Amino acid sequence: MNELIKRELYIDVNNSKQRLIIQTKDESLPVLLILHGLATPTSIFAEYYNEKISAFISNFTIVHWDQRGTGASYYVSLTANTMTQSQFVEDTHLVISFLKEKYSKEKVHILAQSWGSIIGLRYLKKYPEDVESYIGEGQATNYPHFIQCMYDYAKLKANEKHHLRAMHAINSLHIPDVSTDPKVAVKFYNKVKKWSSHFVLEEYNGCDLTAEFLAALKTSEYYKGISAKVNLLKSMLFTHNSTTEELLTTDLSKEIKSLNVPVYFIMGEKDFLLPATSDFYAQLNCLSKELIIVKDAGHVPSLDQTQVFENEVSRIWNL
């Protein structure tokens, strides 16, 4: 068995120094770029991917990229006005161009998660020639619809269970509209997300993402020492504060109708993004497409149902 090759690189990405963690057993293998979720770099979970989803490390050169303002790519000199979705798309283009040249590849594969899946679809629309295949895990498409689903569910469950704290928090809220102050909309989103997540985890006994994150942070070889951990936490706060306002109004169904790349969505049946993503998928025209719904899973099927997730990606990529 080939020994694991690990590389930690810093490259200049549109005037921002950003980190790539590259792991593989053979550098001639196809390249798989992971576009992580909002403010949570998958470099923290690099060991988890290698141990729990062995199909990845056995068949790809895996690239964990700390996106602009996140993880080791956070610097106090970064300004919030550079943290736009269009900027992240251009950053992705430069990173992929770097990887194509470094590994002599014409195309790469992409696994995108949550926030990263918004950047991923925008990227496919603009630069389809770079991508061999695309998997969106917890694919986000229409955030206003997503928020409405979370709100309706949280309100229903709070009243159903007569959960006084949740009832007080949810029943006093008013759904934002175009005239709502962005800061008020962000507070609404955070409260609704908190309670909807609380009730849905109770419902299917899924993974507590915060607990998984903290456990991984303790052992991650890429966040050793207090300063690295503190910098990560600062980066998460900065990224959330800089991107949430634009995110809350994002609706890709208005701008993406077709894609010239094979597209696969892997969604948990308990994911509040699923209804909007199903509608988006039904209307999407592309080379080939598939929507895979994982039972007893929420927003991150790779954590909730790891073996099912690995089986599906292995089938998709004929591993």
Side-chain angles (χ1 to χ4, degrees):
M1 183 178 292
N2 292 347
E3 186 176 341
L4 185 62
I5 301 166
K6 299 181 180 182
R7 302 194 187 282
E8 182 176 10
L9 308 176
Y10 287 83
I11 63 173
D12 183 86
V13 181
N14 296 314
N15 300 314
S16 170
K17 187 180 177 184
Q18 298 180 22
R19 182 173 72 170
L20 303 178
I21 300 295
I22 302 173
Q23 299 191 341
T24 188
K25 291 184 176 180
D26 182 348
E27 293 187 296
S28 68
L29 290 169
V31 172
L32 172 62
L33 174 64
I34 302 179
L35 299 181
H36 63 68
L38 184 59
T40 310
T42 55
S43 51
I44 299 172
F45 299 100
E47 292 87 349
Y48 178 91
Y49 279 94
N50 294 344
E51 293 171 7
K52 302 294 186 180
I53 311 177
S54 58
F56 284 178
I57 200 65
S58 298
N59 293 278
F60 293 100
T61 292
I62 305 172
V63 182
H64 299 278
W65 165 37
D66 290 3
Q67 298 166 18
R68 173 180 296 263
T70 303
S73 299
Y74 167 72
Y75 306 94
V76 292
S77 58
L78 275 176
T79 56
N81 63 0
T82 68
M83 300 288 287
T84 62
Q85 292 177 22
S86 60
Q87 180 64 66
F88 278 82
V89 170
E90 295 312 312
D91 285 359
T92 305
H93 185 52
L94 195 149
V95 168
I96 288 178
S97 296
F98 170 82
L99 293 171
K100 286 167 58 180
E101 181 176 355
K102 178 175 177 60
Y103 292 106
S104 301
K105 305 295 184 186
E106 293 185 4
K107 298 184 178 186
V108 304
H109 297 271
I110 291 178
L111 169 65
Q113 302 168 326
S114 192
W115 150 269
S117 71
I118 290 175
I119 306 307
L121 286 191
R122 290 193 186 281
Y123 190 85
L124 296 189
K125 187 65 178 176
K126 190 168 184 180
Y127 299 107
E129 66 278 4
D130 287 338
V131 183
E132 188 72 34
S133 71
Y134 172 89
I135 293 178
E137 179 187 5
Q139 178 67 54
T141 53
N142 182 336
Y143 245 74
H145 191 281
F146 163 58
I147 294 166
Q148 181 71 56
C149 287
M150 285 199 302
Y151 173 78
D152 291 343
Y153 175 83
K155 187 171 184 177
L156 173 67
K157 289 299 178 181
N159 292 327
E160 208 175 70
K161 294 175 178 287
H162 200 66
H163 192 301
L164 295 179
R165 283 181 57 218
M167 288 170 67
H168 176 74
I170 300 297
N171 293 339
S172 62
L173 294 175
H174 300 284
I175 297 177
D177 57 28
V178 290
S179 65
T180 304
D181 182 284
K183 290 187 170 120
V184 174
V186 170
K187 287 181 180 178
F188 171 91
Y189 168 68
N190 288 335
K191 277 191 180 181
V192 169
K193 184 178 180 183
K194 171 187 172 180
W195 287 110
S196 60
S197 297
H198 170 81
F199 289 124
V200 81
L201 281 175
E202 278 188 350
E203 188 174 322
Y204 80 100
N205 195 30
C207 284
D208 183 328
L209 299 183
T210 301
E212 292 289 337
F213 166 79
L214 292 175
L217 184 57
K218 285 181 183 178
T219 58
S220 174
E221 66 179 283
Y222 299 110
Y223 293 91
K224 289 181 178 177
I226 294 298
S227 61
K229 290 176 170 59
V230 169
N231 193 68
L232 171 62
L233 297 176
K234 285 181 178 178
S235 81
M236 295 176 76
L237 180 62
F238 169 75
T239 302
H240 274 289
N241 289 343
S242 303
T243 59
T244 300
E245 188 177 322
E246 181 183 15
L247 184 61
L248 295 185
T249 60
T250 296
D251 182 1
L252 299 183
S253 66
K254 294 179 178 178
E255 57 189 270
I256 298 178
K257 308 294 184 182
S258 63
L259 294 168
N260 197 30
V261 175
V263 168
Y264 305 86
F265 298 152
I266 303 181
M267 308 289 295
E269 66 171 344
K270 303 297 185 182
D271 192 341
F272 295 109
L273 291 166
L274 180 57
T277 299
S278 296
D279 291 343
F280 177 88
Y281 172 84
Q283 301 300 318
L284 181 66
N285 292 312
C286 52
L287 288 177
S288 62
K289 64 178 184 177
E290 185 177 355
L291 172 61
I292 300 150
I293 301 174
V294 180
K295 291 183 178 180
D296 295 321
H299 188 46
V300 189
S302 58
L303 285 177
D304 284 331
Q305 298 291 340
T306 304
Q307 190 57 61
V308 175
F309 179 81
E310 180 171 18
N311 290 344
E312 291 295 349
V313 297
S314 296
R315 179 182 61 80
I316 288 168
W317 284 322
N318 295 315
L319 302 181

